[in-house]
Amino acid sequence: MTLLKSWLESANSAETHFPLNNLPYGVFSVEDGDLRCGVAIGDRILDATGLEVVGILRADPEADVLDAPYWNDFMELGPKAWVAYRAQLQALLAEGAEEATQEALIAYTVPMAQAALHLPFRVSEYTDFYAGRHHATNVGTMFRGAENALPPNWLHIPIGYNGRASSVVVSGTDVRRPWGQVKAPDAAAPRFAPSARFDIELELGAIVGVASEGPISVAEADANIFGYVLLNDWSARDIQAWEYQPLGPFQAKATATTISPWIVTAAALAPFRCDTPKREVELLDHLKDCGPMLYDIDLAVTLAPDGKPATTIARTNYNEMYYSAAQQLAHHTTSGCPMRVGDLLGSGTISGPARENRGSLLELSWGGKEPIALDTGGSRSFIEDGDTLTLQGAARGEGYQVGFGECSGRLLPALKEPFARG
């Protein structure tokens, strides 16, 4: 697919993440103004809430669905409404639109550089998966040896755990180093201390746009996914190592989960569909692929020490995943678990076959034994106070890209007195 041209020139650049092909949804404010739903186009944000109020563009002719600072009410309208709204947006913003239309719309745009971005949707619940084979193999090899790297169930089901929706924050939010109970392998007893092995996980988050009750098929799950965000599953590896048996991650994953501020819709990503990897073990019927289930999305991670330029520490692609978001969602429902609009599903760490393709510092430094060098000097095994970690991602077409913007967070020092009040 080629670039769809807009009358807004900044949307026609090969460098922008937000051409007419994309039109992602977010929530913004200007100065101290109200939070409003918006659409990214080029270097501007289209005020979707304002357009609804004046009747220029409405998703529902009978009710306001963009009068709250999240896109959940819009999602609840369902896939037919999503398609119709996107088509109207593209028609209004396309090259050749009437001059009167252009004048009306430009009055409802603001420069992106002047806007603050907020969580784009109300997170109902959050589930994180462990569905990248390279990541699972790397981590398993470190802790169990190459012959036992993958658990016996890994090639049969997407493994996951339920996380904290309350800990999901938008890009640009500072994250504080957590305290927790840790135990060194040679220590006689655990101790309570700040995490010394704080890490990231490069992931993609899928947003459920259609509620369901009981089991749904992979095809139904795919249709129920509204869109995607970049997702950083901050992880305290030393806390995780002590707590995870027998029930898996808990406090190690509860500090924060950072997401990018723009929801890139499944419709915008559709031209970049690609197949999952060849199956070593045939999946049971209820999890089998029903067509190309992944997307060709280039991903990168940068690390910037406090006050210094950033170093790109990893590059990979979402096409490395073993299980798709639709398979994860379908599996989630098999027990009868209801899914709600606004549920967030983390893909699991997206790593590739080479060292530079690893999506976490745990892998990049091989558990701290092989520190990675920074362009500005020094090295890292895990995140240090003041470091800013940024995830970036884009699917690339002919002369354009469908991007997510940035998913960024800076690590603050641990509290000196974690139980102090006042």
Side-chain angles (χ1 to χ4, degrees):
M1 191 173 183
T2 57
L3 172 70
L4 301 176
K5 287 198 172 182
S6 170
W7 51 262
L8 187 66
E9 278 303 316
S10 64
N12 299 329
S13 166
E15 303 303 316
T16 183
H17 274 205
F18 309 121
L20 188 59
N21 305 66
N22 192 351
L23 301 179
Y25 303 137
V27 171
F28 75 99
S29 63
V30 178
E31 295 180 346
D32 295 326
D34 296 336
L35 274 61
R36 306 173 75 80
C37 293
V39 179
I41 176 71
D43 61 0
R44 303 186 75 83
I45 301 173
L46 185 65
D47 182 356
T49 298
L51 292 177
E52 180 180 68
V53 170
V54 298
I56 294 177
L57 179 62
R58 298 184 63 85
D60 186 336
E62 299 180 356
D64 291 341
V65 295
L66 300 177
D67 55 345
Y70 43 74
W71 283 82
N72 297 62
D73 294 341
F74 173 84
M75 286 189 268
E76 288 181 354
L77 296 178
K80 288 185 178 179
W82 307 346
V83 171
Y85 188 79
R86 178 177 167 78
Q88 291 179 76
L89 269 174
Q90 288 189 320
L92 290 170
L93 291 165
E95 184 179 57
E98 294 182 0
E99 188 172 338
T101 297
Q102 297 182 32
E103 291 177 354
L105 261 66
I106 201 68
Y108 284 90
T109 68
V110 298
M112 193 172 295
Q114 297 178 12
L117 301 177
H118 308 272
L119 277 176
F121 67 104
R122 188 179 57 219
V123 182
S124 299
E125 296 191 54
Y126 167 52
T127 302
D128 192 39
F129 286 88
Y130 183 58
R133 183 162 187 176
H134 293 293
H135 173 70
T137 299
N138 288 337
V139 173
T141 298
M142 273 185 262
F143 294 104
R144 294 184 297 275
E147 65 283 355
N148 296 308
L150 294 179
N153 59 353
W154 200 93
L155 294 172
H156 298 271
I157 58 172
I159 297 171
Y161 69 92
N162 288 314
R164 292 289 302 174
S166 62
S167 295
V168 177
V169 297
V170 73
S171 175
T173 305
D174 290 339
V175 175
R176 189 170 292 280
R177 184 183 297 276
W179 284 72
Q181 193 172 116
V182 299
K183 182 182 179 298
D186 57 351
R191 60 193 178 89
F192 188 65
S195 171
R197 294 163 67 91
F198 202 58
D199 197 1
I200 63 158
E201 290 190 345
L202 167 61
E203 303 191 24
L204 208 65
I207 302 162
V208 176
V210 178
S212 60
E213 299 283 344
I216 60 176
S217 69
V218 172
E220 290 170 322
D222 190 55
N224 286 3
I225 294 173
F226 177 66
Y228 296 82
V229 291
L230 296 175
L231 185 150
N232 180 355
D233 178 29
W234 301 89
S235 301
R237 300 300 186 186
D238 41 4
I239 297 172
Q240 183 177 358
W242 173 236
E243 75 175 4
Y244 83 101
Q245 295 186 26
L247 294 181
F250 183 41
Q251 293 298 83
K253 302 280 192 172
T255 300
T257 299
T258 302
I259 64 170
S260 52
W262 296 107
I263 304 170
V264 177
T265 63
L269 291 171
F272 307 97
R273 288 271 196 177
C274 59
D275 291 323
T276 46
K278 184 178 179 180
R279 302 294 177 191
E280 181 177 321
V281 176
E282 187 174 3
L283 297 176
L284 297 183
D285 287 346
H286 70 286
L287 284 178
K288 284 184 177 177
D289 302 86
C290 59
M293 304 301 297
L294 296 177
Y295 300 100
D296 181 4
I297 303 172
D298 290 328
L299 300 163
V301 182
T302 65
L303 187 155
D306 198 4
K308 294 183 179 180
T311 298
T312 298
I313 60 173
R315 293 187 185 277
T316 187
N317 192 293
Y318 181 64
N319 61 19
E320 295 287 356
M321 296 305 296
Y322 194 80
Y323 295 102
S324 68
Q327 288 166 318
Q328 292 168 346
L329 176 55
H331 176 63
H332 207 327
T333 69
T334 55
S335 66
C337 172
M339 304 303 295
R340 297 290 177 251
V341 171
D343 281 350
L344 176 64
L345 307 182
S347 63
T349 305
I350 306 167
S351 295
R355 184 186 183 189
E356 61 267 25
N357 305 141
R358 298 171 183 171
S360 68
L361 274 82
L362 176 67
E363 297 168 84
L364 286 164
S365 71
W366 206 252
K369 297 176 182 178
E370 303 172 7
I372 55 173
L374 302 182
D375 294 344
T376 52
S379 62
R380 288 290 185 277
S381 294
F382 293 96
I383 306 171
E384 296 186 5
D385 294 344
D387 287 350
T388 296
L389 279 296
T390 301
L391 317 184
Q392 296 173 313
R396 306 189 192 282
E398 185 179 335
Y400 75 99
Q401 56 185 334
V402 170
F404 291 79
E406 293 187 345
C407 177
S408 184
R410 179 170 63 106
L411 184 63
L412 302 180
L415 294 171
K416 291 184 179 180
E417 299 291 338
F419 300 113
R421 296 291 181 269

